[in-house]
Amino acid sequence: MHSTDIARVDPAHLIACPQCDAIYRARMPEQGERAVCARCHTVLIAPRKRAGMIIIMLSATSLILVLGAVWFPFLKISRQGFVNEATLLDAALSFTGGPLLLLSIAVTALIVLVPMARAILTIYVLGPLVFDRPAPPGALRLFALAEALRPWSMAEIFALGCAVALVKVADLAHLSFGPAFWMFAALVFLTVIHDRWMCRWSVWESLEHGYGARRAKAPA
Amino acid sequence: MSGAATPMTTAREAGLVACTRCTRVWPMGTDRCGRCGKTLVSRDTHSLSRVWAWWAAGLLCYFPANLYPMLRTQVLFQVSEDTIVGGAIELAKQGAPFVAIIILIASVAIPIGKFAAIAWLATSVRRGSRTPPQSRHRLYEIVEYIGRWSMIDVFVVAILTALVQLNLAASIKPGPAALAFALSVIFTMLSAQAFDPRLIWDRAADDSASDERA
């Protein structure tokens, strides 16, 4: 029986599809190829050359862009001589008074704190690995945290929100984009590229066995 | 994948338990993933009750989100209040039907579709379904991916409130629906995350096994 066959393999050499529980013998695919679950087509392993370095640079860029976007205005409004500019913090903290304050906290977290935390955690965890140093303390837990934060990082949704807001008040006043809007627009692309380069299995393996362990075949 | 040519085996059938976070495999009975620290369960049996609890909370918030105003707009001495649907209709009238459609999709079609999809998936793993697991799993992936985008309306309200503060000329304030809507989106995201997609495949495997016997 196949099932007893695979049960005899050391579990450390197996990989389970997180979506449908199918198990396979883990094997690093060829450069540029991806290992996909045969049953539910979830991508299991997708290594890319020098991905670690590229992800770190993307994270550092995202961090700079978010920090910049906090201080520069993203939209400017004018009507009948009145002019107003709004920065990201203004928007995040715009719900004041009573229960709406909760919303301020949530919006700040979703568009500023979570994206920043993800970038910092990624640099902290992957940085030493890329430079052939041992994983930093708590790396496994912190990478797990970065993964858990992924759906809650909503900077790119905020960028689309800016565009909708622009149209929504077009007849009320004159609106124009500030520098922070373009920073957010760039962030949308960075997030997409970041997710394309990130091979989670390779990171977990490197954190467990050290970066060199599988390097002969393909770097994380 | 190396296992593609051989018949499919699940971790549970092989007497193993898989970590859904880091995909590491452990012998059945292991409590905690030795690699990433996640609590290991072969099948999350409490998954469905958590799904329904968050689902109900999300639905409960969705009603006030649509009934109460999202925005209070004051232009000179005129004050107007807009609900989500009302605001979209306003936009369409003002000659921006494309944006109105985006808002209607993000704030009405997607939330309602999500409630229906999660409810159907949760019932189908309990009662069985003739829809192949591939399609149901695809639906689950779409629900998980698309859920966050409903937050766009909350962000638009935040942006407008911060921006449109022009003294008497025009000012915008958030309405109570903004909070209700944000909570509804967050609760449905948690509901989708609580669902254990492995249940879709188990039930399907059981069903086809009983078909063969019959």
Side-chain angles (χ1 to χ4, degrees):
Chain A
M1 268 307 282
H2 177 70
S3 59
T4 50
D5 237 29
I6 206 155
R8 256 184 258 120
V9 179
D10 176 5
H13 295 136
L14 296 174
I15 179 172
C17 173
Q19 294 283 324
C20 78
D21 209 33
I23 48 172
Y24 306 94
R25 284 187 185 81
R27 199 178 54 197
M28 201 41 115
E30 295 299 311
Q31 214 37 257
E33 285 181 7
R34 306 187 306 174
V36 178
C37 175
R39 184 156 76 160
C40 72
H41 309 298
T42 302
V43 177
L44 299 174
I45 312 176
R48 284 189 168 198
K49 235 180 192 159
R50 287 186 292 280
M53 190 51 111
I54 285 165
I55 289 170
I56 286 175
M57 293 198 291
L58 289 173
S59 297
T61 317
S62 307
L63 194 60
I64 294 166
L65 286 178
V66 174
L67 279 174
V70 169
W71 301 116
F72 290 108
F74 62 83
L75 282 175
K76 192 179 167 188
I77 188 174
S78 51
R79 177 189 159 97
Q80 297 173 357
F82 293 105
V83 178
N84 191 22
E85 284 181 335
T87 66
L88 195 62
L89 275 186
D90 294 335
L93 300 172
S94 63
F95 302 104
T96 45
L100 284 177
L101 187 67
L102 278 176
L103 203 51
S104 266
I105 298 167
V107 171
T108 315
L110 296 174
I111 59 183
V112 183
L113 300 181
V114 174
M116 274 173 63
R118 274 200 74 201
I120 293 169
L121 288 172
T122 308
I123 295 170
Y124 176 79
V125 172
L126 293 184
L129 291 180
V130 168
F131 294 106
D132 279 327
R133 290 176 186 278
L140 285 155
R141 289 297 162 93
L142 292 173
F143 186 64
L145 177 65
E147 282 295 284
L149 288 177
R150 190 148 54 107
W152 304 102
S153 167
M154 299 193 181
E156 73 270 26
I157 300 171
F158 185 82
L160 190 60
C162 285
V164 173
L166 187 85
V167 183
K168 215 164 175 172
V169 287
D171 69 315
L172 195 72
H174 180 74
L175 269 152
S176 48
F177 289 129
F181 173 78
W182 302 110
M183 292 179 175
F184 260 101
L187 213 54
V188 178
F189 287 101
L190 287 183
T191 315
V192 174
I193 302 168
H194 182 281
D195 283 339
R196 282 195 70 106
W197 280 86
M198 176 72 101
C199 171
R200 285 163 190 96
W201 184 79
S202 307
V203 175
W204 288 117
E205 284 289 306
S206 318
L207 289 176
E208 193 183 18
H209 303 294
Y211 187 60
R214 306 218 170 219
R215 205 182 178 188
K217 290 167 201 162
Chain B
M1 199 77 227
S2 53
T6 50
M8 196 71 56
T9 311
T10 65
R12 185 166 67 167
E13 283 162 9
L16 300 164
V17 58
C19 175
T20 50
R21 183 155 69 194
C22 74
T23 67
R24 181 83 150 81
V25 181
W26 302 94
M28 191 67 94
T30 314
D31 290 337
R32 216 164 250 284
C33 176
R35 177 151 81 179
C36 73
K38 191 179 165 73
T39 312
L40 296 175
V41 268
S42 180
R43 290 300 176 274
D44 194 345
T45 40
H46 299 298
S47 163
L48 290 181
S49 25
R50 274 186 289 127
V51 169
W52 284 115
W54 288 122
W55 184 88
L59 193 63
L60 218 60
C61 292
Y62 188 67
F63 290 110
N66 277 282
L67 296 174
Y68 285 101
M70 196 86 168
L71 285 176
R72 287 202 175 98
T73 316
Q74 181 222 325
V75 181
L76 296 177
F77 294 102
Q78 262 192 325
V79 180
S80 63
E81 295 194 328
D82 275 327
T83 57
I84 293 174
V85 177
I89 293 170
E90 262 319 288
L91 270 177
K93 277 188 197 157
Q94 287 163 13
F98 185 67
V99 184
I101 288 168
I102 290 186
I103 291 180
L104 282 178
I105 290 174
S107 322
V108 182
I110 290 177
I112 292 178
K114 263 186 83 175
F115 286 124
I118 296 173
W120 181 64
L121 285 172
T123 357
S124 84
V125 296
R126 182 152 286 175
R127 299 221 183 122
S129 165
R130 248 175 270 161
T131 316
Q134 284 82 356
S135 327
R136 278 184 287 150
H137 187 247
R138 187 98 204 108
L139 178 68
Y140 173 70
E141 283 180 327
I142 293 171
V143 165
E144 255 222 310
Y145 175 78
I146 227 166
R148 332 156 48 230
W149 286 92
S150 296
M151 275 307 256
I152 191 166
D153 230 25
V154 178
F155 291 151
V156 170
V157 174
I159 293 165
L160 292 180
T161 310
L163 195 65
V164 187
Q165 296 300 339
L166 302 173
N167 230 333
L168 275 180
S171 79
I172 288 181
K173 285 198 173 101
L179 179 63
F181 191 79
L183 287 176
S184 174
V185 174
I186 290 171
F187 290 153
T188 30
M189 278 176 73
L190 290 169
S191 174
Q193 283 179 14
F195 187 75
D196 186 349
R198 296 178 294 187
L199 297 171
I200 296 177
W201 298 93
D202 284 347
R203 178 73 205 205
D206 294 348
D207 285 353
S208 60
S210 62
D211 282 352
E212 277 163 29
R213 254 179 270 129

Coordinates of all heavy atoms in Angstrom, one line a residue, chain A residues 5-6 16-17 24 31 33 40 52 55 70 73 80 92-93 101 110 119 146 151 175 190 199-200 202-203 205 210 215:
Chain A
D5 N 3.7 2.9 2.7 CA 4.9 3.3 2.0 C 5.4 4.7 2.5 O 6.5 4.8 3.0 CB 4.7 3.4 0.5 CG 5.6 2.5 -0.2 OD1 6.0 1.5 0.4 OD2 5.9 2.8 -1.4
I6 N 4.5 5.6 2.3 CA 4.9 7.0 2.6 C 5.0 7.2 4.1 O 5.8 8.1 4.6 CB 4.0 8.0 1.9 CG1 4.7 9.4 1.7 CG2 2.7 8.2 2.7 CD1 4.2 10.2 0.6
A16 N 3.2 18.6 3.6 CA 1.7 18.4 3.6 C 1.1 19.6 3.0 O 1.5 20.7 3.3 CB 1.2 18.1 4.9
C17 N 0.1 19.4 2.1 CA -0.6 20.6 1.5 C -1.4 21.2 2.7 O -2.2 20.5 3.3 CB -1.5 20.1 0.4 SG -2.5 21.5 -0.2
Y24 N 3.4 14.6 0.3 CA 4.3 14.3 -0.7 C 5.7 14.3 -0.1 O 6.0 14.8 1.0 CB 4.3 15.4 -1.8 CG 3.0 15.8 -2.3 CD1 2.2 16.8 -1.8 CD2 2.5 15.0 -3.4 CE1 1.0 17.1 -2.3 CE2 1.2 15.3 -3.9 CZ 0.5 16.3 -3.4 OH -0.8 16.6 -3.9
Q31 N 15.1 25.1 -10.7 CA 15.1 26.6 -10.8 C 14.0 27.0 -11.7 O 13.9 26.5 -12.8 CB 16.4 27.1 -11.2 CG 16.9 28.3 -10.6 CD 16.6 28.6 -9.2 OE1 15.7 29.3 -8.8 NE2 17.4 27.9 -8.3
E33 N 10.9 26.3 -11.6 CA 9.7 25.5 -11.5 C 9.0 25.6 -10.2 O 9.6 26.0 -9.2 CB 10.1 24.0 -11.8 CG 10.4 23.8 -13.3 CD 10.8 22.4 -13.5 OE1 10.7 21.5 -12.6 OE2 11.2 22.1 -14.7
C40 N -5.3 19.9 -5.1 CA -6.1 21.2 -5.0 C -5.3 22.3 -5.7 O -5.7 23.5 -5.6 CB -6.4 21.5 -3.6 SG -5.0 22.0 -2.6
G52 N 15.9 35.7 -1.5 CA 16.0 36.3 -0.2 C 16.5 37.8 -0.3 O 15.8 38.6 0.4
I55 N 13.7 40.0 -1.7 CA 12.6 40.2 -0.7 C 13.0 41.2 0.3 O 12.2 42.1 0.7 CB 12.1 38.9 0.0 CG1 11.4 38.0 -1.1 CG2 11.3 39.1 1.2 CD1 11.1 36.6 -0.6
V70 N 3.4 58.5 5.6 CA 2.9 58.9 6.9 C 3.0 60.5 7.0 O 2.1 61.2 7.4 CB 3.5 58.3 8.1 CG1 3.1 59.0 9.4 CG2 3.1 56.8 8.1
P73 N 1.5 64.7 2.5 CA 0.1 64.6 2.2 C -0.2 63.7 1.0 O 0.6 63.6 0.1 CB -0.2 66.1 1.9 CG 1.0 66.7 1.5 CD 2.1 66.0 2.2
Q80 N -13.5 77.3 -3.0 CA -13.8 78.6 -2.7 C -12.7 79.3 -1.8 O -13.0 79.9 -0.7 CB -15.1 78.7 -1.9 CG -16.3 78.2 -2.8 CD -17.6 78.1 -2.1 OE1 -17.6 78.3 -0.9 NE2 -18.6 77.8 -2.8
A92 N -6.0 58.3 9.2 CA -6.1 57.2 10.2 C -6.8 57.6 11.5 O -7.5 56.9 12.1 CB -4.8 56.6 10.4
L93 N -6.5 58.9 11.8 CA -7.0 59.3 13.1 C -8.2 60.2 13.0 O -8.6 61.0 13.9 CB -5.9 60.1 13.8 CG -4.6 59.3 14.1 CD1 -3.5 60.2 14.7 CD2 -4.9 58.2 15.1
L101 N -13.6 56.0 17.7 CA -12.2 56.0 18.0 C -11.6 54.6 17.8 O -10.5 54.5 17.3 CB -12.0 56.4 19.5 CG -10.5 56.6 19.9 CD1 -9.9 57.8 19.2 CD2 -10.4 56.8 21.4
L110 N -4.2 48.9 10.3 CA -4.3 48.2 9.0 C -3.4 48.9 7.9 O -2.9 48.2 7.1 CB -5.8 48.1 8.5 CG -6.7 47.3 9.3 CD1 -8.1 47.5 8.8 CD2 -6.3 45.9 9.3
A119 N 7.2 44.4 7.2 CA 8.5 44.7 6.6 C 9.7 44.5 7.6 O 10.7 43.9 7.2 CB 8.5 46.1 6.0
A146 N 4.7 37.2 11.1 CA 4.7 38.0 9.8 C 3.7 37.3 8.9 O 2.9 38.0 8.2 CB 6.1 38.0 9.2
P151 N -2.9 38.8 5.9 CA -4.2 39.3 5.4 C -4.6 40.7 6.0 O -5.5 41.3 5.4 CB -5.2 38.2 5.8 CG -4.5 37.4 6.8 CD -3.0 37.6 6.6
L175 N -9.7 68.4 -6.2 CA -8.8 67.5 -5.5 C -7.6 67.2 -6.3 O -7.7 67.0 -7.6 CB -9.5 66.2 -5.2 CG -10.3 66.0 -3.9 CD1 -11.4 65.1 -4.0 CD2 -9.3 65.6 -2.8
L190 N 4.8 46.7 -5.1 CA 5.8 46.0 -4.3 C 5.2 44.8 -3.6 O 5.8 43.7 -3.5 CB 6.4 47.0 -3.2 CG 7.3 48.0 -3.8 CD1 7.9 48.9 -2.6 CD2 8.5 47.4 -4.5
C199 N 9.0 32.3 -1.2 CA 8.7 30.8 -1.1 C 8.7 30.5 0.4 O 9.8 30.4 1.0 CB 9.7 30.0 -1.9 SG 9.5 28.2 -1.6
R200 N 7.5 30.3 0.9 CA 7.4 30.1 2.4 C 8.1 28.8 2.9 O 8.8 28.8 3.9 CB 6.0 30.1 2.8 CG 5.5 31.6 2.8 CD 4.1 31.8 2.8 NE 3.9 33.2 2.6 CZ 3.7 33.7 1.4 NH1 3.5 32.9 0.3 NH2 3.6 35.0 1.2
S202 N 10.7 27.3 1.6 CA 12.1 27.5 1.6 C 12.6 28.3 2.8 O 13.6 28.0 3.5 CB 12.6 28.3 0.4 OG 12.2 27.7 -0.8
V203 N 11.8 29.3 3.2 CA 12.1 30.0 4.4 C 12.1 29.2 5.7 O 13.0 29.1 6.5 CB 11.2 31.3 4.6 CG1 11.5 32.0 5.9 CG2 11.4 32.2 3.4
E205 N 12.3 25.9 5.9 CA 13.4 25.0 5.8 C 14.7 25.6 6.2 O 15.5 25.0 7.0 CB 13.6 24.4 4.4 CG 12.5 23.4 4.0 CD 12.7 22.1 4.8 OE1 13.7 21.5 4.7 OE2 11.7 21.6 5.4
G210 N 19.2 25.8 8.7 CA 20.2 26.8 8.3 C 20.2 27.0 6.8 O 19.8 26.1 6.1
R215 N 21.3 24.8 0.1 CA 21.7 25.8 -0.8 C 22.3 25.2 -2.1 O 22.2 25.8 -3.2 CB 22.8 26.6 -0.1 CG 22.9 28.0 -0.7 CD 24.0 28.8 -0.1 NE 24.1 30.1 -0.8 CZ 25.0 30.9 -0.6 NH1 26.0 30.7 0.3 NH2 25.0 32.1 -1.2

